[in-house]
């Protein structure tokens, strides 16, 4: 097949003396001695150009142009089977491709770099571009505005003091721009030092002691602070606000970020500054009020009670801290310990604006199952006052250990369990919400009155009782059966649930003595009564069922007979009664 048409055929010059044309050869389809041949011709002069195309990855051909500026160049490729051509028409002055700048050097201040270089295109007006690589990897491009000949420098401003930048330069023709030159070699430049910019972010922790207060001061570089120097140090100064005493001060190297000072009960002004080889930064100031006065007057009456800790919840992003805003403060501060179980606890703090009423606090040190305590302060005129306390977990976990039953009180139908020494404080891996008491007889399922059935994955069942007060550390399980063996366990639960393990204790309920007494009354007493009745039945019969006497055998009728008709009549004179009642009737009068 004939060869492919040359692709991307283009011509350019670097010095307006020599032109170089380049192209991609494409597929030749032949090899060895049958490789295609290339030739270049110019239409206006009707001449073959004095160069032979050479190809490796890309084909090229160069020649001296003399005084001719307009060119119509054709490249011809041919083999035994045919030929193909490609043409480029151009003005040499419009195809300038400068050489790369070289021999770079710089002059710099704390915010500017003036970059100088040499180049071989001394007769050409150039437009140059500087690439500035920032320390964070961001790239900025700065174009030169001065195109007067010769152009060999550019000034880049708006830089940070004492910061390392990497720069390089490329250039193009200022008139009839064709393309950029290659980049120069990169040059690393560090701007000069300057006064530290911004202020330090400072905080304190006050501990009352005998005769005064220990004040632990902390400082860190705020987001807007820049040291702007090679070596940084810190200077702490404190003085009484009243009395005009001489200030005291102490300096620290850059490896320190805290110190402790002792002050008495007076008000103090404390300032901390950063210092480099040039100068001090602006001071950051804290006012420590007298130990006997209120730090700050509230907008409304807040009471004098000790602040109570309120519980807060963790989220996927951190611990959510809300607070009630007060109108007087110009900022709020939240502090906490990254490692509350250790001393020192690595105190941390964050500042918030006056219109803020909540924040999400997060730290790489936060882990689930650890209780973190947060204090919210309001600040005005560099004086801070404690407003609220919060406590919470990034995520609650089940309790570390379950309550240990220390005492058991047992009756035939109830058992009372005690676990008085169980702790519900910050040592737990979650807020203890209450307790579950699980009960079951050794044989059979549990169905105690007042309980809920709890079924496990293996289909075993327990009776479950819930205690919702974490400070209630005893419980009585009622309605047990006497003379029965039971297993019991007490488990604490938090917002993270309860532990999966069950360490049972075992009890045996005693016999019910009331049932024994009832049996005695119901069986033995009647038997004894019956036996005695049988033994003394004659006496019992006479006591309970005496024989009815015959009137004829009564002594009452043993008197002298006096008859009226067939009936015996007793004369009054025959007996002396104790009391006599006489019914006076006509018949009696007759008698």
């Amino acid at each position: 097949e004939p060869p492919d048409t040359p692709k991307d055929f283009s011509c350019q010059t670097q010095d307006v003396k020599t032109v170089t044309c380049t192209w991609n050869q494409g597929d030749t389809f032949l090899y060895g001695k049958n490789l295609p041949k290339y030739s270049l011709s110019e239409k206006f002069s009707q001449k073959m150009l004095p160069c032979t195309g050479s190809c490796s990855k890309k084909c090229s051909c160069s020649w001296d142009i003399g005084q001719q500026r307009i060119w119509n160049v054709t490249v011809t490729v041919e083999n035994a089977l045919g030929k193909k051509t490609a043409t480029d028409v151009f003005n040499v002055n419009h195809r300038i491709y400068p050489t790369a700048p070289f021999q770079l050097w710089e002059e710099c201040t704390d915010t500017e770099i003036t970059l100088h270089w040499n180049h071989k295109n001394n007769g050409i007006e150039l437009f140059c571009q500087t690439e500035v690589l920032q320390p964070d990897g961001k790239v900025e491009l700065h174009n030169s505005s001065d195109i007067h000949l010769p152009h060999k420098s550019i000034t880049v401003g708006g830089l940070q003091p004492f910061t390392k930048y990497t720069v390089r330069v490329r250039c193009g023709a200022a008139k009839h721009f064709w393309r950029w030159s290659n980049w120069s070699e990169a040059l690393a430049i560090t701007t000069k030092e300057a006064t530290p910019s911004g202020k330090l972010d400072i905080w304190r922790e006050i501990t009352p002691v005998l005769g005064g207060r220990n004040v632990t001061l902390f400082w860190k570089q705020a987001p807007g602070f820049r040291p702007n120097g090679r070596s940084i140090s810190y200077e702490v100064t404190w003085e009484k606000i009243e009395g005009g005493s001489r200030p005291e001060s102490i300096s620290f190297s850059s490896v320190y970020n805290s110190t402790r000072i002792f002050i008495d009960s007076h008000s103090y002004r404390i300032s901390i500054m950063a210092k480099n080889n040039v100068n001090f930064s602006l001071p950051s100031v804290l006012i420590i009020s007298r130990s006997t006065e209120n730090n700050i007057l509230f907008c409304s009456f807040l009471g004098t009670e000790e602040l109570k800790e309120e519980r807060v919840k963790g989220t996927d992003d951190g611990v959510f801290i809300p607070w009630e805003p007060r109108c007087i403060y110009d900022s709020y501060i939240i502090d906490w310990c990254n490692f509350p179980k250790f001393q020192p606890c690595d105190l941390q703090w964050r500042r918030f604006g006056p219109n803020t009423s909540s924040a999400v606090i997060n730290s790489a040190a936060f882990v689930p199952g650890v209780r973190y305590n947060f204090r919210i302060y309001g600040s005005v005129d560099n004086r801070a006052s404690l407003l609220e306390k919060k406590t919470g977990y990034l995520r609650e976990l089940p309790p570390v250990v379950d309550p240990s039953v220390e005492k058991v009180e047992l009756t035939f139908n109830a058992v009372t369990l005690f676990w008085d020494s169980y702790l519900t404080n910050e040592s737990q891996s979650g807020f203890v919400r209450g307790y579950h008491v699980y009960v079951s007889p050794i044989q059979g399922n549990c169905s105690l009155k007042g309980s809920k059935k709890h079924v496990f994955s293996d289909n075993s069942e327990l009776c479950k009782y819930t205690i919702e007060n974490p400070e209630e550390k005893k419980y009585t399980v009622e309605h047990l059966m006497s003379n029965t063996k039971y297993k019991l366990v007490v488990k604490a639960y938090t917002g993270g649930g309860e532990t999966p393990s069950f360490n049972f204790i075992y009890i045996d309920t005693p016999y019910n003595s009331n049932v024994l007494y009832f049996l005695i009354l119901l069986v033995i007493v009647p038997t004894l009564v019956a036996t005695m009745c049988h033994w003394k039945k004659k006496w019992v019969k006479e006591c309970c069922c005496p024989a009815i006497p015959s009137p004829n055998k009564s002594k009452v009728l043993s008197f002298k007979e006096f008859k009226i008709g067939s009936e015996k009549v007793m004369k009054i004179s025959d007996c002396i009664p104790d009391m006599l009642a006489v019914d006076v009737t006509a018949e009696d009068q007759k008698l």
Side-chain angles (χ1 to χ4, degrees):
E1 293 184 19
D4 279 352
T5 300
K7 298 177 182 179
D8 303 323
F9 180 58
S10 175
C11 301
Q12 60 192 12
T13 180
Q14 286 191 319
D15 54 7
V16 198
K17 296 179 181 179
T18 302
V19 168
T20 300
C21 295
T22 58
W23 66 92
N24 292 321
Q25 62 180 340
D27 293 328
T28 62
F29 303 108
L30 295 173
Y31 304 94
K33 65 180 181 179
N34 295 317
L35 282 172
K37 298 179 180 179
Y38 297 93
S39 61
L40 278 75
S41 61
E42 206 282 316
K43 182 177 180 180
F44 297 141
S45 63
Q46 300 292 322
K47 293 180 180 179
M48 298 297 295
L49 295 176
C51 73
T52 301
S54 61
C55 298
S56 54
K57 292 183 178 179
K58 196 170 187 176
C59 300
S60 66
C61 187
S62 301
W63 69 95
D64 292 334
I65 60 176
Q67 299 299 317
Q68 185 176 343
R69 290 292 177 264
I70 308 298
W71 292 77
N72 187 337
V73 179
T74 299
V75 59
T76 301
V77 55
E78 61 180 323
N79 61 18
L81 300 177
K83 64 180 179 179
K84 295 288 178 67
T85 61
T87 301
D88 186 19
V89 180
F90 60 93
N91 184 330
V92 171
N93 293 330
H94 296 181
R95 293 290 180 90
I96 297 176
Y97 171 58
T99 58
F102 65 98
Q103 292 181 344
L104 273 67
W105 75 96
E106 85 283 351
E107 295 175 342
C108 67
T109 66
D110 56 343
T111 58
E112 287 186 347
I113 294 175
T114 300
L115 192 65
H116 302 270
W117 64 90
N118 290 325
H119 61 74
K120 296 179 180 180
N121 306 93
N122 289 329
I124 304 172
E125 292 183 1
L126 297 178
F127 172 79
C128 296
Q129 187 178 68
T130 302
E131 179 190 79
V132 180
L133 178 63
Q134 306 273 357
D136 60 1
K138 183 180 177 181
V139 174
E140 292 183 357
L141 295 176
H142 298 264
N143 295 328
S144 64
S145 57
D146 183 8
I147 60 175
H148 296 295
L149 192 136
H151 183 271
K152 296 184 179 180
S153 67
I154 187 172
T155 298
V156 178
L159 305 178
Q160 295 291 344
F162 196 68
T163 303
K164 184 177 180 180
Y165 297 92
T166 302
V167 297
R168 58 182 183 171
V169 184
R170 63 183 178 180
C171 298
K175 295 180 179 179
H176 312 297
F177 179 85
W178 167 242
R179 63 178 55 173
W180 292 110
S181 70
N182 291 330
W183 287 106
S184 68
E185 291 185 359
L187 180 65
I189 304 172
T190 300
T191 53
K192 292 186 176 181
E193 297 184 51
T195 300
S197 57
K199 296 181 179 181
L200 295 171
D201 186 2
I202 65 175
W203 190 231
R204 86 294 183 274
E205 187 173 37
I206 303 173
T207 305
V209 294
L210 184 63
R213 294 160 289 174
N214 282 334
V215 179
T216 304
L217 300 169
F218 303 89
W219 58 86
K220 61 185 177 182
Q221 297 182 2
F225 177 85
R226 292 186 58 86
N228 295 340
R230 184 181 308 276
S231 60
I232 195 82
S233 61
Y234 304 101
E235 183 159 311
V236 179
T237 304
W238 65 98
E239 60 181 326
K240 288 182 183 179
I241 295 178
E242 310 94 352
S245 62
R246 293 183 60 184
E248 299 179 68
S249 64
I250 187 171
S251 297
F252 299 92
S253 68
S254 60
V255 298
Y256 291 92
N257 61 3
S258 67
T259 187
R260 177 181 293 176
I261 63 174
F262 173 81
I263 61 175
D264 56 29
S265 60
H266 292 85
S267 297
Y268 277 80
R269 181 183 186 273
I270 300 173
S271 67
I272 304 178
M273 297 182 292
K275 182 181 183 299
N276 61 15
N277 294 329
V278 177
N279 207 342
F280 287 96
S281 69
L282 294 174
S284 299
V285 178
L286 282 174
I287 302 297
I288 308 297
S289 299
R290 292 176 63 90
S291 59
T292 57
E293 69 182 27
N294 293 328
N295 289 345
I296 282 182
L297 296 177
F298 286 34
C299 295
S300 60
F301 178 71
L302 300 178
T304 58
E305 296 181 353
E306 183 180 353
L307 294 176
K308 295 182 179 179
E309 283 187 335
E310 298 179 7
R311 292 183 179 182
V312 292
K313 294 183 178 180
T315 67
D316 292 339
D317 300 320
V319 182
F320 179 71
I321 309 292
W323 65 87
E324 180 183 350
R326 280 82 165 177
C327 60
I328 195 173
Y329 300 115
D330 54 33
S331 65
Y332 296 97
I333 302 100
I334 300 177
D335 70 6
W336 71 93
C337 286
N338 266 347
F339 304 99
K341 295 183 179 180
F342 299 96
Q343 290 297 330
C345 72
D346 187 25
L347 186 73
Q348 302 292 315
W349 71 97
R350 282 181 59 186
R351 294 181 179 272
F352 302 90
N355 298 322
T356 310
S357 60
S358 65
V360 175
I361 303 298
N362 200 355
S363 168
F366 284 179
V367 293
V370 175
R371 186 183 299 186
Y372 298 96
N373 299 315
F374 303 89
R375 295 177 295 190
I376 298 100
Y377 294 82
S379 177
V380 61
D381 296 333
N382 299 318
R383 296 174 184 259
S385 177
L386 179 62
L387 304 180
E388 299 179 27
K389 293 181 179 180
K390 309 287 184 179
T391 183
Y393 296 82
L394 182 65
R395 188 176 76 248
E396 292 187 60
L397 299 179
V400 178
V401 293
D402 283 324
S404 176
V405 177
E406 301 159 0
K407 181 181 177 182
V408 176
E409 292 181 355
L410 190 62
T411 66
F412 69 90
N413 67 343
V415 60
T416 302
L417 307 174
F418 299 84
W419 55 95
D420 295 330
S421 63
Y422 189 70
L423 299 177
T424 59
N425 56 14
E426 63 275 1
S427 63
Q428 290 289 355
S429 54
F431 294 118
V432 177
R433 263 69 168 185
Y435 308 94
H436 291 144
V437 179
Y438 295 93
V439 185
S440 177
I442 297 299
Q443 295 181 347
N445 294 325
C446 185
S447 58
L448 295 177
K449 183 180 179 181
S451 66
K452 292 183 178 180
K453 184 182 292 186
H454 185 83
V455 181
F456 292 93
S457 57
D458 60 356
N459 294 324
S460 60
E461 296 179 3
L462 290 176
C463 285
K464 178 180 178 181
Y465 300 88
T466 300
I467 307 166
E468 295 183 348
N469 180 8
E471 301 306 320
E472 183 67 34
K473 298 181 181 180
K474 72 172 183 177
Y475 190 74
T476 299
V477 180
E478 300 178 331
H479 310 293
L480 301 178
M481 294 183 293
S482 61
N483 194 29
T484 305
K485 190 167 188 176
Y486 288 90
K487 59 181 181 180
L488 308 93
V489 66
V490 180
K491 299 182 70 62
Y493 66 90
T494 67
E498 62 182 25
T499 58
S501 59
F502 283 74
N503 298 317
F504 290 100
I505 63 170
Y506 296 87
I507 62 167
D508 289 289
T509 54
Y511 286 101
N512 187 349
S513 58
N514 293 335
V515 174
L516 183 60
Y517 296 151
F518 179 74
L519 290 175
I520 291 174
L521 293 174
L522 187 65
V523 177
I524 298 178
V525 171
T527 302
L528 290 174
V529 171
T531 302
M532 291 186 66
C533 287
H534 179 74
W535 182 35
K536 297 287 187 175
K537 64 181 179 179
K538 184 176 180 180
W539 176 80
V540 172
K541 182 178 180 182
E542 289 178 354
C543 290
C544 298
C545 301
I548 300 173
S550 174
N552 293 326
K553 295 181 179 180
S554 175
K555 294 181 179 180
V556 175
L557 297 179
S558 61
F559 49 81
K560 294 179 179 181
E561 294 184 2
F562 175 73
K563 291 186 178 180
I564 299 176
S566 60
E567 295 181 352
K568 288 184 177 181
V569 178
M570 182 182 69
K571 291 181 180 180
I572 295 175
S573 59
D574 290 338
C575 92
I576 302 173
D578 293 327
M579 185 173 62
L580 180 65
V582 179
D583 289 333
V584 181
T585 63
E587 186 177 352
D588 295 333
Q589 289 177 354
K590 191 176 182 179
L591 290 173

